[in-house]
Amino acid sequence: MVIKRTDSSNTDFQNLVKFLDTDLAIRNGDDHAFYDQFNKIDMIKNCVIIYIDEAPAACGAFKKFGENTVEIKRMYTNPNFRKRGLATAIVKQLETWAKEIGYKKAVLESSLEQNEALSVYEKSGYQRIPNYGQYIGIEKSVCYEKML
């Protein structure tokens, strides 16, 4: 396993995100357009990719959310590489990187239907919080935070 820090101009990251968006379009159904507007990857400076035998297997990113807070975004593991702890490794790497550059807290939003993702976040120490920002009042959304 090789973990690479990069940005959103990386084509492996872009390709993994395309697979993520295809998966989310199916899961979110009619609500996909609402969520999609908040998930653009232009100019994301902090992206992580895990490679298994040189194949891009998983990714994630964070963006500045507030003065001392980042928002975890674009988490995805290729189905061929699931059940190996890659998502947990991505979360840990993103947290470490955010901490290194001075952030104190991470927040994230996920869908109630993404049980595998919610499990990763909860195992990683994230606590459920009231929905924030654009997710306030969105019943399918669930938001989390963690002090870094």
Side-chain angles (χ1 to χ4, degrees), residues 30-82:
D30 293 340
D31 296 326
H32 184 66
F34 168 78
Y35 291 106
D36 192 49
Q37 68 183 318
F38 306 115
N39 290 318
K40 304 302 179 205
I41 61 170
D42 302 348
M43 306 295 290
I44 298 178
K45 297 176 185 172
N46 305 96
C47 305
V48 172
I49 303 168
I50 290 182
Y51 292 87
I52 304 290
D53 298 326
E54 300 183 21
C59 69
F62 68 80
K63 296 185 341 183
K64 181 177 181 172
F65 184 74
E67 176 99 15
N68 296 309
T69 305
V70 296
E71 184 178 30
I72 305 289
K73 305 287 290 176
R74 314 292 36 214
M75 292 286 301
Y76 178 74
T77 301
N78 179 311
N80 296 329
F81 298 100
R82 291 188 180 156

Side-chain angles (χ1 to χ4, degrees), residues 95-107:
E95 291 170 352
T96 298
W97 195 1
K99 232 167 114 172
E100 287 171 9
I101 55 179
Y103 290 101
K104 307 286 185 220
K105 182 169 70 170
V107 296

Side-chain angles (χ1 to χ4, degrees), residues 80-119:
N80 296 329
F81 298 100
R82 291 188 180 156
K83 304 281 188 210
R84 298 186 192 187
L86 301 184
T88 299
I90 290 281
V91 169
K92 285 181 183 175
Q93 185 61 223
L94 292 170
E95 291 170 352
T96 298
W97 195 1
K99 232 167 114 172
E100 287 171 9
I101 55 179
Y103 290 101
K104 307 286 185 220
K105 182 169 70 170
V107 296
L108 61 88
E109 181 274 340
S110 190
S111 168
L112 284 171
E113 288 137 14
Q114 291 182 280
N115 294 327
E116 62 281 358
L118 301 181
S119 175

